[in-house]
Amino acid sequence: MDFMILTGMSGAGKSRAADTLEDMGYLCIDNMPVAFIPKFAEMYSRSSNESKKVAFVIDVRGEIEFDTLIKELDALKERGYSCTTLFVDCDSEVIINRYKETRRIHPLVPIKNLGMKDAIELERKMLKPIKKYSDYVIDTTHLSVRQLRDKIFAINSNGNKKELMLTCMSFGFKHGIVTDADLVFDVRCFPNPFYITELKDKTGLEQDVKDYVFSNGEVTTFLEKLYDMLNYLIPLYAKEGKSQLTIAIGCTGGKHRSVAITEEVGKYLSSSFKTVIVHRDIAKLYDSIKQEY
């Protein structure tokens, strides 16, 4: 039996994450009282159900004291069950905007008689213990639905890859550095396609931009040295028990150089590790691209 606890901030994307888990064959149960989980695990493991993967979706509506949840999860692990905890997080301002767009109410607003901002901050405080306990934390602030799915699929991959999950993320320094990055590399030292008229409005995902970026021999040398560094560092992070590592590569706007180089780095690392490629700021360039949760 494989059990997963899916929890996190309201509005951060738990429903989308649950949809992905269902597509992967999980039986998803929303807000089962935590005290019932061990008994359910015992009964379900003896049943004839074809699905042996169960995800419990837990949020502040169903579990005010998350210390209780942690104790029950520890007890499940002691009894030999495989149990993974996935926490979905998001920037508070983005959560507020998502609630405005959907015209829904944060669950703590009516329960605690609070304003939206105060409800989110209280929820963040309540969830702090389980976030610290979680095996994986996914921040959806800059992720599309597809990218969230990719991360969850990577976590649940059964391939012969190492357990450490990597996120290779491109970004633009003018939009702010990636605050949750473990390793940050600046590629603004290389020629910028932005100043080439026929490339200005394209992105590093397009072949002619890639050709321009990699026509510079210094970029090839940079990648060789970067691969040597990553091959040395990543096993050290894994040895220390880290379950996820974010490698951020930035240029000025997050459109050309960082995108092309991040794609190359991500493809290289995916041969040995679970790897997800994210282009944080490329969506900022197009009004037609909108992240939905």
Side-chain angles (χ1 to χ4, degrees):
M1 290 293 298
D2 291 325
F3 291 101
M4 176 174 285
I5 302 298
L6 173 58
T7 187
M9 295 295 294
S10 302
K14 290 194 300 296
S15 295
R16 298 287 186 177
D19 290 344
T20 299
L21 291 173
E22 286 187 342
D23 291 343
M24 297 173 64
Y26 277 83
L27 170 66
C28 291
I29 303 174
D30 191 19
N31 276 311
M32 172 180 284
V34 170
F36 294 171
I37 290 178
K39 188 64 176 178
F40 175 90
E42 181 181 343
M43 295 175 60
Y44 196 79
S45 63
R46 296 199 306 261
S47 72
S48 59
N49 290 283
E50 292 184 2
S51 175
K52 292 299 182 182
K53 299 190 293 186
V54 180
F56 299 104
V57 186
I58 307 291
D59 62 24
V60 288
R61 293 173 299 163
E63 180 59 23
I64 300 301
E65 295 294 336
F66 279 86
D67 287 344
T68 304
L69 174 59
I70 293 172
K71 290 178 182 177
E72 295 294 357
L73 294 180
D74 285 339
L76 280 178
K77 292 177 181 178
E78 289 176 2
R79 290 160 59 186
Y81 290 105
S82 172
C83 191
T84 303
T85 305
L86 171 60
F87 189 98
V88 183
D89 201 0
C90 187
D91 179 78
S92 296
E93 291 301 320
V94 174
I95 291 176
I96 291 173
N97 289 334
R98 289 176 183 173
Y99 272 108
K100 287 180 180 178
E101 290 175 0
T102 60
R103 300 189 179 184
R104 298 188 64 191
I105 300 175
H106 189 282
L108 290 182
V109 168
I111 294 174
K112 296 293 185 178
N113 194 27
L114 295 171
M116 178 70 77
K117 187 173 182 179
D118 290 338
I120 291 173
E121 292 310 309
L122 175 59
E123 180 185 32
R124 199 174 293 284
K125 182 178 179 180
M126 293 167 64
L127 293 175
K128 187 175 180 179
I130 191 64
K131 180 180 179 180
K132 184 177 180 180
Y133 178 89
S134 295
D135 300 289
Y136 297 96
V137 177
I138 297 179
D139 189 329
T140 67
T141 302
H142 301 291
L143 297 184
S144 67
V145 175
R146 181 187 61 79
Q147 290 167 341
L148 174 59
R149 286 176 62 87
D150 287 346
K151 278 182 171 280
I152 294 173
F153 270 97
I155 288 172
N156 286 274
S157 171
N158 291 320
N160 296 320
K161 297 185 178 182
K162 299 182 181 180
E163 291 301 316
L164 179 63
M165 185 184 76
L166 305 181
T167 297
C168 292
M169 180 180 293
S170 70
F171 72 97
F173 278 95
K174 74 176 184 179
H175 302 299
I177 200 167
V178 180
T179 56
D180 60 340
D182 300 287
L183 298 169
V184 178
F185 299 96
D186 185 349
V187 296
R188 290 176 293 182
C189 56
F190 302 123
N192 192 349
F194 178 83
Y195 297 108
I196 307 299
T197 302
E198 59 269 26
L199 302 180
K200 179 179 180 180
D201 295 324
K202 296 185 177 183
T203 77
L205 296 176
E206 297 175 73
Q207 190 60 48
D208 46 356
V209 176
K210 292 180 183 179
D211 291 342
Y212 177 85
V213 171
F214 293 110
S215 66
N216 186 322
E218 296 297 337
V219 174
T220 302
T221 302
F222 167 78
L223 285 175
E224 291 173 354
K225 294 181 181 296
L226 178 60
Y227 294 158
D228 284 342
M229 178 182 291
L230 294 177
N231 287 331
Y232 172 73
L233 289 176
I234 291 174
L236 296 180
Y237 281 107
K239 185 177 179 180
E240 286 299 309
K242 194 170 182 63
S243 59
Q244 52 191 338
L245 188 75
T246 298
I247 301 164
I249 299 174
C251 61
T252 303
K255 177 179 179 180
H256 298 107
R257 293 165 291 181
S258 63
V259 172
I261 293 172
T262 296
E263 283 283 317
E264 198 70 17
V265 173
K267 290 176 182 176
Y268 172 81
L269 294 174
S270 65
S271 64
S272 302
F273 301 91
K274 302 173 185 176
T275 305
V276 175
I277 300 173
V278 177
H279 300 300
R280 191 193 74 175
D281 295 328
I282 202 169
K284 290 183 172 65
L285 304 167
Y286 306 101
D287 293 335
S288 61
I289 296 179
K290 183 179 180 183
Q291 297 175 7
E292 297 180 356
Y293 285 85

